[in-house]
Amino acid sequence: MIAEKKKRIAIFASGAGSNAARIIAHCNNSGSIEVALIVCNNPQAGVIAIAERNHIPCLLISKKEFLETGYVDFLHDENISLIVLAGFLWKVPSILVHHFPGRIINIHPALLPNYGGKGMYGMAVHKTVIEAKEKFSGITIHFVDEEYDHGSIIFQEKVSIDPGETPESLAEKIHRLEHEYFPKIIEQVITEQSE
Ligand code: GRF
């Protein structure tokens, strides 16, 4: 019996990479998926050290080449089944969206369609949600299209915003949700695509 080849995912990240670390750990325990590549646009990003620690190749990309080519040939050569944006701050160019239709997902630290779009990331999102006196915030995992934070929604989970909540305390709650759910939803998307 020939063992099923593992599905290969590429994680795109610009920052600390705490989501990337959880996804790698989840895939190491799953027999069916492997993180084949980390793609990063920031030479100072913490995610680079996470790639090294896990012996995962890390591609540092340039804006010009990313906008012109989306690194599509490289991603196809690496046999990537799913592109996972985990704190990736550049908009995905159309060429990449077109070459990976329904195969690029993103996590956003708020309940889209509200509190999304250009500039809405990190503490800015949590600050805006609290200032708007929202009772809840949460995470959204969605397919990626040509617009920021705009593709069809796959999964959402919410948390309450308590009296005296600060952007920092809300960020902590949201990160816990991300780390719990993103790896599971990635596995679910990959499984559904294989069926
Ligand atoms: C997360 O809050 C995610 O929702 C957003 O970027 C952040 C990435 O954090 N898209 P990390 O780099 O995974 O720690």
Coordinates of all heavy atoms in Angstrom, one line a residue, residues 84-150:
V84 N -1.4 29.7 3.2 CA -2.0 30.1 4.5 C -1.3 31.5 4.9 O -0.1 31.5 5.2 CB -1.7 29.1 5.6 CG1 -2.2 29.6 7.0 CG2 -2.4 27.8 5.3
L85 N -2.1 32.5 4.9 CA -1.6 33.8 5.3 C -1.8 33.9 6.8 O -2.9 33.8 7.3 CB -2.3 35.0 4.7 CG -2.5 34.9 3.1 CD1 -3.1 36.2 2.6 CD2 -1.1 34.7 2.5
A86 N -0.7 34.0 7.6 CA -0.8 34.1 9.0 C 0.0 35.3 9.5 O 1.2 35.3 9.9 CB -0.1 32.8 9.6
G87 N -0.7 36.5 9.4 CA -0.1 37.7 9.7 C 0.8 38.2 8.6 O 2.0 38.5 8.8
F88 N 0.3 38.1 7.4 CA 1.1 38.6 6.2 C 0.5 39.9 5.8 O -0.7 40.0 5.5 CB 1.0 37.6 5.1 CG 1.8 37.9 3.9 CD1 3.2 37.8 3.9 CD2 1.2 38.2 2.7 CE1 3.9 38.1 2.8 CE2 1.9 38.5 1.5 CZ 3.3 38.5 1.6
L89 N 1.4 41.0 5.7 CA 0.8 42.3 5.6 C 0.7 42.9 4.2 O 0.1 43.9 4.0 CB 1.6 43.3 6.5 CG 1.6 42.9 8.0 CD1 2.3 44.0 8.8 CD2 0.1 42.9 8.5
W90 N 1.2 42.2 3.2 CA 1.1 42.7 1.9 C -0.2 42.1 1.3 O -0.6 41.0 1.5 CB 2.3 42.2 1.0 CG 3.5 43.0 1.3 CD1 3.7 44.0 2.2 CD2 4.8 42.6 0.7 NE1 5.1 44.4 2.2 CE2 5.8 43.6 1.3 CE3 5.3 41.7 -0.2 CZ2 7.1 43.5 1.0 CZ3 6.6 41.7 -0.5 CH2 7.5 42.6 0.1
K91 N -0.8 42.9 0.4 CA -2.0 42.4 -0.4 C -1.5 41.4 -1.4 O -0.4 41.5 -2.0 CB -2.7 43.6 -1.1 CG -4.0 43.2 -1.7 CD -5.0 44.4 -1.7 CE -4.6 45.3 -2.8 NZ -5.7 46.0 -3.5
V92 N -2.3 40.3 -1.5 CA -1.9 39.3 -2.5 C -2.2 39.7 -3.9 O -3.3 40.1 -4.2 CB -2.7 38.0 -2.1 CG1 -2.4 36.9 -3.2 CG2 -2.3 37.5 -0.7
P93 N -1.2 39.7 -4.8 CA -1.4 40.2 -6.2 C -2.4 39.2 -6.9 O -2.4 38.0 -6.7 CB 0.0 40.2 -6.8 CG 0.7 39.2 -6.0 CD 0.2 39.2 -4.6
S94 N -3.1 39.8 -7.9 CA -4.1 39.1 -8.7 C -3.5 37.8 -9.3 O -4.1 36.8 -9.3 CB -4.7 39.9 -9.8 OG -5.3 41.1 -9.2
I95 N -2.2 37.9 -9.7 CA -1.6 36.7 -10.4 C -1.6 35.5 -9.5 O -1.9 34.4 -9.9 CB -0.2 37.1 -10.9 CG1 0.4 35.9 -11.8 CG2 0.7 37.5 -9.8 CD1 1.7 36.3 -12.5
L96 N -1.4 35.8 -8.2 CA -1.3 34.7 -7.3 C -2.7 34.2 -6.9 O -3.0 32.9 -6.9 CB -0.6 35.1 -6.0 CG -0.3 34.0 -4.9 CD1 0.4 32.8 -5.5 CD2 0.6 34.6 -3.8
V97 N -3.6 35.1 -6.8 CA -5.0 34.7 -6.5 C -5.6 33.8 -7.7 O -6.2 32.8 -7.5 CB -5.9 35.9 -6.3 CG1 -7.4 35.5 -6.2 CG2 -5.5 36.7 -5.1
H98 N -5.2 34.2 -8.9 CA -5.7 33.5 -10.1 C -5.1 32.1 -10.2 O -5.7 31.2 -10.7 CB -5.5 34.3 -11.4 CG -6.3 35.6 -11.4 ND1 -6.0 36.7 -12.0 CD2 -7.5 35.9 -10.8 CE1 -6.9 37.7 -11.8 NE2 -7.8 37.1 -11.1
H99 N -3.8 32.0 -9.8 CA -3.1 30.7 -10.0 C -3.5 29.7 -8.8 O -3.2 28.5 -8.9 CB -1.6 30.9 -10.0 CG -1.1 31.2 -11.4 ND1 -0.6 30.3 -12.3 CD2 -1.1 32.4 -12.1 CE1 -0.3 30.8 -13.4 NE2 -0.6 32.1 -13.4
F100 N -4.0 30.3 -7.7 CA -4.4 29.4 -6.6 C -5.9 29.7 -6.2 O -6.1 30.1 -5.1 CB -3.5 29.6 -5.4 CG -2.1 29.0 -5.6 CD1 -1.1 29.6 -6.3 CD2 -1.9 27.7 -5.1 CE1 0.1 29.0 -6.5 CE2 -0.6 27.1 -5.3 CZ 0.4 27.8 -6.0
P101 N -6.8 29.5 -7.1 CA -8.2 29.8 -6.9 C -8.8 29.0 -5.7 O -8.7 27.7 -5.8 CB -8.9 29.5 -8.2 CG -8.0 28.6 -8.9 CD -6.6 28.8 -8.5
G102 N -9.3 29.6 -4.7 CA -9.9 28.9 -3.6 C -8.8 28.1 -2.8 O -9.1 27.2 -2.0
R103 N -7.6 28.5 -2.9 CA -6.5 27.8 -2.3 C -5.6 28.8 -1.5 O -4.4 28.5 -1.3 CB -5.7 27.0 -3.3 CG -6.5 25.8 -3.8 CD -5.6 25.0 -4.7 NE -6.4 23.8 -5.2 CZ -6.4 22.7 -4.5 NH1 -5.8 22.6 -3.3 NH2 -7.1 21.6 -4.9
I104 N -6.1 29.9 -1.1 CA -5.4 30.9 -0.3 C -6.3 31.3 0.8 O -7.5 31.7 0.6 CB -5.0 32.2 -1.0 CG1 -4.2 31.8 -2.3 CG2 -4.1 33.0 -0.1 CD1 -3.9 33.0 -3.2
I105 N -5.9 31.1 2.1 CA -6.8 31.5 3.2 C -6.0 32.4 4.2 O -4.8 32.4 4.2 CB -7.3 30.3 4.0 CG1 -6.2 29.5 4.7 CG2 -8.1 29.4 3.1 CD1 -6.8 28.4 5.6
N106 N -6.8 33.2 4.9 CA -6.2 34.3 5.8 C -7.0 34.2 7.1 O -8.1 33.8 7.2 CB -6.4 35.6 5.1 CG -5.8 36.8 6.0 OD1 -4.7 36.7 6.5 ND2 -6.6 37.8 6.2
I107 N -6.2 34.7 8.1 CA -6.9 34.9 9.4 C -6.9 36.3 9.8 O -5.9 37.0 9.6 CB -6.2 34.0 10.5 CG1 -7.1 34.1 11.8 CG2 -4.8 34.4 10.8 CD1 -6.8 33.0 12.8
H108 N -8.1 36.8 10.2 CA -8.1 38.3 10.5 C -8.6 38.4 12.0 O -9.6 37.7 12.4 CB -9.1 39.0 9.6 CG -9.2 40.4 9.9 ND1 -8.2 41.3 9.5 CD2 -10.2 41.2 10.5 CE1 -8.6 42.5 9.9 NE2 -9.8 42.5 10.5
P109 N -8.0 39.2 12.8 CA -8.3 39.3 14.2 C -9.5 40.2 14.6 O -9.5 41.0 15.5 CB -7.0 39.9 14.8 CG -6.5 40.8 13.8 CD -6.9 40.1 12.4
A110 N -10.6 40.0 13.8 CA -11.9 40.7 14.1 C -13.0 40.0 13.3 O -12.7 39.1 12.5 CB -11.8 42.2 13.6
L111 N -14.2 40.4 13.6 CA -15.4 39.7 13.0 C -15.7 40.4 11.7 O -16.6 41.3 11.6 CB -16.6 39.7 14.0 CG -16.3 39.0 15.3 CD1 -17.4 39.2 16.3 CD2 -16.1 37.5 15.0
L112 N -15.1 40.0 10.6 CA -15.4 40.6 9.2 C -16.9 40.3 8.9 O -17.5 39.4 9.5 CB -14.5 39.9 8.2 CG -13.0 40.2 8.3 CD1 -12.3 39.4 7.2 CD2 -12.7 41.6 8.2
P113 N -17.6 41.1 8.1 CA -16.9 42.2 7.3 C -16.6 43.5 8.0 O -16.1 44.4 7.4 CB -18.0 42.4 6.2 CG -19.3 42.1 6.9 CD -19.0 41.0 7.8
N114 N -16.9 43.5 9.3 CA -16.5 44.8 10.0 C -15.0 44.7 10.4 O -14.4 43.7 10.6 CB -17.4 44.9 11.3 CG -18.8 45.0 10.9 OD1 -19.2 45.6 9.9 ND2 -19.7 44.3 11.7
Y115 N -14.5 45.9 10.6 CA -13.1 46.1 11.1 C -12.1 45.3 10.3 O -11.2 44.6 10.8 CB -13.1 45.6 12.6 CG -14.1 46.4 13.4 CD1 -15.2 45.8 13.9 CD2 -13.9 47.8 13.6 CE1 -16.2 46.5 14.6 CE2 -14.9 48.5 14.3 CZ -16.0 47.8 14.8 OH -17.0 48.5 15.5
G116 N -12.2 45.5 9.0 CA -11.2 44.8 8.1 C -10.7 45.9 7.1 O -11.1 47.0 7.2
G117 N -9.9 45.4 6.2 CA -9.4 46.3 5.1 C -8.0 46.9 5.4 O -7.4 46.6 6.5
K118 N -7.6 47.8 4.5 CA -6.2 48.3 4.6 C -5.9 49.0 5.9 O -6.8 49.7 6.4 CB -6.0 49.3 3.4 CG -4.5 49.8 3.3 CD -4.3 50.4 1.9 CE -3.0 51.0 1.7 NZ -1.9 50.0 2.0
G119 N -4.8 48.6 6.5 CA -4.4 49.3 7.8 C -5.0 48.7 9.0 O -4.6 49.0 10.1
M120 N -6.0 47.8 8.8 CA -6.7 47.2 10.0 C -6.0 45.9 10.4 O -6.4 44.8 10.0 CB -8.2 46.9 9.7 CG -9.0 48.2 9.7 SD -8.8 49.1 11.2 CE -10.1 48.4 12.2
Y121 N -4.9 46.0 11.1 CA -4.2 44.8 11.6 C -3.5 45.2 12.9 O -3.5 46.3 13.3 CB -3.2 44.3 10.6 CG -2.1 45.4 10.3 CD1 -0.9 45.5 11.1 CD2 -2.2 46.3 9.2 CE1 0.0 46.4 10.8 CE2 -1.2 47.2 9.0 CZ -0.1 47.3 9.8 OH 0.8 48.2 9.5
G122 N -3.2 44.1 13.7 CA -2.5 44.4 14.9 C -3.4 45.1 15.9 O -4.6 45.0 15.9
M123 N -2.7 46.0 16.7 CA -3.4 46.7 17.8 C -4.5 47.7 17.2 O -5.5 47.9 17.9 CB -2.4 47.5 18.7 CG -1.6 46.6 19.6 SD -2.8 45.7 20.7 CE -1.6 44.5 21.3
A124 N -4.2 48.1 16.0 CA -5.2 49.1 15.4 C -6.6 48.5 15.4 O -7.6 49.2 15.7 CB -4.8 49.5 14.0
V125 N -6.7 47.2 15.1 CA -8.0 46.6 15.0 C -8.7 46.6 16.4 O -9.8 47.0 16.6 CB -7.9 45.1 14.5 CG1 -9.3 44.5 14.3 CG2 -7.1 45.0 13.3
H126 N -7.9 46.1 17.4 CA -8.5 45.9 18.8 C -8.9 47.3 19.3 O -9.9 47.5 20.0 CB -7.5 45.2 19.7 CG -7.0 43.9 19.1 ND1 -7.8 43.0 18.5 CD2 -5.7 43.5 18.9 CE1 -7.1 42.0 18.1 NE2 -5.9 42.2 18.2
K127 N -8.0 48.3 19.1 CA -8.3 49.7 19.6 C -9.6 50.2 19.0 O -10.5 50.7 19.7 CB -7.1 50.5 19.1 CG -6.9 51.9 19.9 CD -5.5 52.4 19.6 CE -5.4 53.9 20.1 NZ -6.4 54.8 19.4
T128 N -9.8 50.0 17.7 CA -11.0 50.5 17.0 C -12.2 49.8 17.5 O -13.2 50.4 17.7 CB -10.8 50.3 15.4 OG1 -9.5 50.8 15.0 CG2 -11.9 50.9 14.6
V129 N -12.1 48.5 17.7 CA -13.3 47.7 18.1 C -13.7 48.2 19.5 O -14.9 48.4 19.8 CB -13.0 46.2 18.1 CG1 -14.0 45.4 18.9 CG2 -12.8 45.7 16.7
I130 N -12.7 48.4 20.4 CA -13.1 48.9 21.8 C -13.6 50.3 21.7 O -14.6 50.6 22.4 CB -11.8 48.8 22.6 CG1 -11.4 47.3 22.9 CG2 -12.0 49.5 24.0 CD1 -10.1 47.1 23.5
E131 N -13.0 51.2 20.9 CA -13.5 52.6 20.8 C -14.9 52.6 20.3 O -15.7 53.5 20.6 CB -12.5 53.4 20.0 CG -11.3 53.8 20.7 CD -10.2 54.4 19.8 OE1 -10.5 54.5 18.6 OE2 -9.2 54.8 20.4
A132 N -15.3 51.6 19.5 CA -16.6 51.6 18.9 C -17.6 51.0 19.9 O -18.8 50.8 19.6 CB -16.6 50.7 17.6
K133 N -17.1 50.6 21.1 CA -18.0 50.1 22.2 C -18.7 48.8 21.8 O -19.8 48.6 22.2 CB -19.0 51.2 22.6 CG -18.3 52.5 23.1 CD -19.2 53.3 24.0 CE -18.6 54.6 24.4 NZ -17.1 54.6 24.7
E134 N -18.0 48.0 21.0 CA -18.6 46.7 20.6 C -18.6 45.8 21.8 O -17.8 45.9 22.7 CB -17.7 46.0 19.5 CG -17.7 46.7 18.2 CD -18.9 46.5 17.4 OE1 -19.8 45.8 17.8 OE2 -19.0 47.1 16.3
K135 N -19.6 44.9 21.9 CA -19.7 44.0 23.0 C -18.9 42.7 22.7 O -18.5 41.9 23.6 CB -21.2 43.5 23.2 CG -22.1 44.7 23.6 CD -21.9 45.0 25.1 CE -22.7 46.2 25.6 NZ -22.0 47.4 25.1
F136 N -18.6 42.4 21.4 CA -17.8 41.2 21.0 C -16.8 41.6 20.0 O -16.9 42.6 19.2 CB -18.8 40.2 20.4 CG -19.8 39.7 21.4 CD1 -21.1 40.2 21.4 CD2 -19.5 38.7 22.3 CE1 -22.1 39.8 22.2 CE2 -20.5 38.2 23.2 CZ -21.8 38.8 23.2
S137 N -15.7 40.8 19.9 CA -14.8 40.8 18.8 C -14.5 39.3 18.5 O -15.3 38.4 19.0 CB -13.5 41.5 19.1 OG -12.8 41.6 17.9
G138 N -13.5 39.0 17.7 CA -13.3 37.6 17.5 C -12.3 37.4 16.3 O -11.6 38.3 15.9
I139 N -12.3 36.2 15.7 CA -11.5 35.9 14.6 C -12.3 35.5 13.4 O -13.4 35.0 13.5 CB -10.5 34.7 14.9 CG1 -11.2 33.4 15.3 CG2 -9.5 35.1 16.0 CD1 -10.3 32.2 15.3
T140 N -11.7 35.8 12.2 CA -12.4 35.4 11.0 C -11.3 34.7 10.1 O -10.2 35.2 9.9 CB -12.9 36.6 10.2 OG1 -13.8 37.3 11.0 CG2 -13.6 36.1 8.9
I141 N -11.6 33.5 9.7 CA -10.8 32.8 8.7 C -11.5 32.8 7.4 O -12.7 32.4 7.4 CB -10.5 31.4 9.2 CG1 -9.7 31.4 10.5 CG2 -9.6 30.6 8.1 CD1 -9.5 30.1 11.2
H142 N -10.9 33.3 6.3 CA -11.6 33.4 5.1 C -10.7 33.1 3.9 O -9.5 33.2 4.0 CB -12.2 34.9 5.0 CG -11.1 35.9 4.9 ND1 -10.6 36.5 3.8 CD2 -10.4 36.5 5.9 CE1 -9.7 37.4 4.1 NE2 -9.5 37.4 5.4
F143 N -11.4 32.9 2.7 CA -10.6 32.7 1.5 C -10.2 34.1 1.0 O -10.8 35.1 1.3 CB -11.5 32.1 0.4 CG -11.7 30.6 0.6 CD1 -13.0 30.1 1.0 CD2 -10.7 29.7 0.4 CE1 -13.2 28.8 1.3 CE2 -10.9 28.3 0.7 CZ -12.1 27.9 1.1
V144 N -9.1 34.1 0.3 CA -8.4 35.4 -0.1 C -8.8 35.7 -1.5 O -8.6 34.8 -2.4 CB -6.9 35.4 0.1 CG1 -6.2 36.5 -0.5 CG2 -6.6 35.3 1.6
D145 N -9.2 36.9 -1.8 CA -9.4 37.4 -3.2 C -8.5 38.6 -3.4 O -7.6 38.9 -2.6 CB -10.9 37.6 -3.5 CG -11.5 38.7 -2.7 OD1 -10.7 39.5 -2.0 OD2 -12.7 38.8 -2.6
E146 N -8.8 39.4 -4.4 CA -8.0 40.6 -4.7 C -8.1 41.7 -3.7 O -7.2 42.6 -3.7 CB -8.3 41.1 -6.1 CG -7.7 40.3 -7.2 CD -8.6 39.2 -7.7 OE1 -9.6 38.9 -6.9 OE2 -8.5 38.7 -8.8
E147 N -9.1 41.7 -2.8 CA -9.2 42.8 -1.9 C -8.7 42.4 -0.5 O -8.8 41.2 -0.2 CB -10.7 43.2 -1.7 CG -11.4 43.6 -3.1 CD -10.6 44.8 -3.7 OE1 -10.2 45.7 -2.9 OE2 -10.4 44.7 -4.9
Y148 N -8.3 43.3 0.3 CA -7.9 43.0 1.7 C -9.1 42.4 2.5 O -10.2 43.0 2.4 CB -7.5 44.3 2.4 CG -6.1 44.7 2.3 CD1 -5.7 45.9 1.7 CD2 -5.0 43.9 2.8 CE1 -4.4 46.3 1.6 CE2 -3.7 44.2 2.7 CZ -3.4 45.4 2.1 OH -2.1 45.8 2.0
D149 N -9.0 41.3 3.2 CA -10.0 40.8 4.1 C -11.4 40.8 3.5 O -12.3 41.2 4.2 CB -10.0 41.8 5.4 CG -8.6 41.9 6.0 OD1 -7.9 40.9 6.0 OD2 -8.3 43.0 6.4
H150 N -11.5 40.2 2.3 CA -12.7 40.4 1.6 C -13.3 39.1 1.1 O -14.5 39.0 0.9 CB -12.5 41.3 0.4 CG -13.6 41.5 -0.5 ND1 -13.9 40.8 -1.7 CD2 -14.7 42.4 -0.4 CE1 -15.0 41.2 -2.2 NE2 -15.5 42.2 -1.5

